[in-house]
Every structure is written in structure tokens, then in C-alpha cells.
Amino acid sequence: MTTLVPYREVEVKGALNAVKGMPFEWSLNPFLGCAHACFYCFSRAYHARYRERNVGSDFDRNVEVRVNIPDILRRELRRHREGSLAIGTATDPYQPIEGKYQLTRRCLEALVDYPMPTSIVTKGPLVVRDIDLLKKLDEKTELTVYFSVPCVDEEIVKKTDPGTAPPRQRLRALRMLRDAGIDAAVLCMPVLPSISDSEESLDAAARAASEAGATAFRHRPLKIDVEIQDYYYDFLATEFPVAVPTYAALYQGGVHPKKEYERELEERVRRVRARYEFQARPARPARPPDLQSVQLQLAI
């Protein structure tokens, strides 16, 4: 049975968020909260930490739609920003409600006019709707679309990522982007101990990513922030009770698993990745400034 998600329209004063300590300098999130409802999502913790909301239904059953964010973004982009932009760092920009509001699409339209290096992280096949804009942006600046595919076992995914499209649909979308010449890679993140961290599970994910044409396959072990520990462990006890003792031993009440486990996982992924082909997109020569963008900025 499908659970209805209440959506609330809000207006924001700013679109771009300055970021420190990450491989990008700016982030953009057209929505707050996410109907994908992944139980392990790190953004649940930030929802509690910075918004004083609960990490459960306040996050995945109460989604804010930032209806004016494309216009605010266009205004902010008129002043040149140094660095790169990541879209979808806190909530998925292609969660289902994007089909109605088209906020992410309108943000891409602004970026085509005022380009800056951009990455997108999503589990939403809806991204293929915007191939036309992604190709235009790619012609002007560096662009990579990352598909989050932590596991390809659909029975597991139904439990861990209950509101998302099946992995095969995400990978089909990745193939469509690659066929259009767009750089698209797979993030096997987070890897869940005792659930998706076996060599068999990782091998299946890597093989599927390679067959879809992914340019890279990256992983990261699960981080369990303090704010979501009770929530996540309740989920484990319900859906994967046999895994609870393993988590108790690996995390010992902390945020990160033991370093020894991280090293073992790194080696496991290295072995798996070596079996398949992931052809990184060649670095392209520096582009001359886009004349239209320069003219638009000078006209301000």
C-alpha cells in the first residue's frame, strides 16, 4: 500500500549554500525532506540537528517544496561563483514530486545560462527527462550525474529504500545518459554491514554498473550519526534482526565502524572493481568562456 506524502510549498531567501570540507564549494536542494524514505539516510540526522525535526516522519512524510528556488538561483548565479556545485546533497532532486513542480529542471535551465561545474546525486530515473538540458550544460562546463545504487537485490532495497525506484530502473536511466554522452557514475553508498557488504552483493552491484556504462564505481561504509541511531537500530531489529549483533560489535555505539572493517571493505571493493570495466571520461580541454553567459553577466 502506498503511503501518501504531504507536500508543503515554501519560499526561500537563498538557493546556493556555501560548503566547506567537501569536494564541492556549493550545494543546492530544491526540496527539504525526501519521499524516498531510505532508513539509513544521513540527511535525517541533519534534519534533527539543524531543523529540530524528528528523524522519521518529519523527514520522509513532510516534504517542503521550495517553489521559488529556480528564480532565486538565477538571481544568485548572475554574480559569478568560484568553485563547483552539487545538486541533491541533502534530498533527492528527482524524487517523485519533481515531476509536478519541475524545480530541478528550472534550476538546470538557469545553470545552462550561467554555467558552473556541476554534479547531481539521485536515485530517480526521472533525470532522463532532462537529458536535453544536461547535454547543453555539459557542453559548457564539467558535469557528472551520480546514481546512488547501494545494492541491486530488489528484496533488500524494498526494505532499506522503500520509496525509491528499483535499482534496474536507476541503471537503465544511467545507460540512457551515457548513450547521450553524459558522464554518469555509480555511488555504492552506503554499504550496509551484514546486508549489502558481502563480496557477492558488491560484485552484483559492480557488474550491473559496468554493464550500464558507469564511468566509475565508488563506495562508502555506513555512517550512523547519533541523531539516527535509535531510528536505524529499530529498523534493523524489525527487518534484519540477525544483523543487530554485528552492528553492536562493529560500531560499539559510535558513528563509524571499526577501522579494521573499513580496510577489509576497501579491499573487497577493490577486488570487485578490478573484475569490471569502468572507463572514466577523458579530461576535456579547457573551454573558452561561453559568450552568451559572459554577455548575460555583463548586462546585469
Side-chain angles (χ1 to χ4, degrees):
M1 182 175 66
T2 302
T3 302
L4 295 178
V5 177
Y7 293 97
R8 182 162 60 95
E9 295 183 356
V10 300
E11 294 193 350
V12 293
K13 296 180 180 179
L16 294 171
N17 303 300
V19 178
K20 294 182 179 180
M22 299 296 286
F24 48 87
E25 287 70 37
W26 305 92
S27 68
L28 174 72
N29 291 286
F31 307 97
L32 182 67
C34 187
H36 283 167
C38 304
F39 281 93
Y40 51 74
C41 184
F42 67 90
S43 292
R44 292 182 183 275
Y46 298 153
H47 214 59
R49 193 177 305 165
Y50 302 116
R51 303 279 298 185
E52 297 183 349
R53 307 276 186 88
N54 74 54
V55 299
S57 59
D58 280 355
F59 178 77
D60 56 43
R61 294 292 177 264
N62 185 14
V63 178
E64 292 184 2
V65 181
R66 297 170 164 179
V67 292
N68 67 330
I69 202 167
D71 296 328
I72 301 297
L73 175 65
R74 182 174 290 274
R75 186 180 68 197
E76 292 178 354
L77 288 174
R78 289 171 180 166
R79 188 173 72 251
H80 177 68
R81 307 279 176 154
E82 292 291 340
S84 61
L85 170 67
I87 303 176
T89 55
T91 61
D92 199 309
Y94 286 104
Q95 57 182 292
I97 196 63
E98 165 62 16
K100 174 183 177 179
Y101 284 93
Q102 300 192 28
L103 299 182
T104 300
R105 181 172 178 83
R106 291 174 56 205
C107 287
L108 289 175
E109 290 173 343
L111 284 163
V112 168
D113 288 339
Y114 302 97
M116 62 189 299
T118 300
S119 62
I120 300 171
V121 179
T122 185
K123 293 180 179 177
L126 181 59
V127 66
V128 302
R129 178 202 62 189
D130 294 340
I131 284 178
D132 59 332
L133 290 174
L134 294 172
K135 290 176 69 174
K136 290 178 181 179
L137 182 58
D138 185 61
E139 291 171 357
K140 296 184 176 185
T141 189
E142 298 296 324
L143 170 69
T144 302
V145 178
Y146 293 100
F147 285 85
S148 175
V149 188
C151 178
V152 293
D153 184 321
E154 295 192 3
E155 292 307 310
I156 289 177
V157 171
K158 287 177 184 178
K159 296 179 179 180
T160 59
D161 309 31
T164 64
R168 66 180 184 278
Q169 292 185 17
R170 304 178 212 172
L171 293 168
R172 188 182 305 133
L174 185 149
R175 167 51 70 187
M176 293 175 69
L177 264 62
R178 294 295 296 121
D179 288 346
I182 297 165
D183 190 8
V186 163
L187 300 180
C188 186
M189 303 178 186
V191 178
L192 307 180
S194 287
I195 299 172
S196 61
D197 67 342
S198 69
E199 189 151 339
E200 180 183 8
S201 177
L202 295 168
D203 184 275
R207 181 174 66 252
S210 176
E211 291 173 351
T215 56
F217 181 81
R218 302 175 182 171
H219 84 288
R220 183 174 299 156
L222 174 67
K223 174 187 176 187
I224 312 176
D225 284 296
V226 172
E227 292 88 347
I228 70 168
Q229 287 180 357
D230 288 344
Y231 182 80
Y232 184 72
Y233 285 122
D234 284 346
F235 157 73
L236 275 185
T238 301
E239 298 292 349
F240 301 95
V242 297
V244 172
T246 298
Y247 277 80
L250 285 180
Y251 287 86
Q252 298 181 338
V255 172
H256 300 281
K258 291 181 177 180
K259 291 295 182 183
E260 181 182 0
Y261 171 81
E262 293 186 353
R263 288 192 293 267
E264 291 174 353
L265 180 62
E266 180 73 34
E267 178 59 23
R268 206 173 301 156
V269 173
R270 187 198 63 77
R271 289 196 302 269
V272 165
R273 190 187 292 118
R275 296 171 191 154
Y276 304 102
E277 185 176 25
F278 299 98
Q279 291 188 348
R281 184 172 176 174
R284 291 174 291 183
R287 300 173 178 82
D290 179 67
L291 180 59
Q292 181 183 6
S293 298
V294 171
Q295 291 172 335
L296 283 169
Q297 290 173 355
L298 290 175
I300 302 304

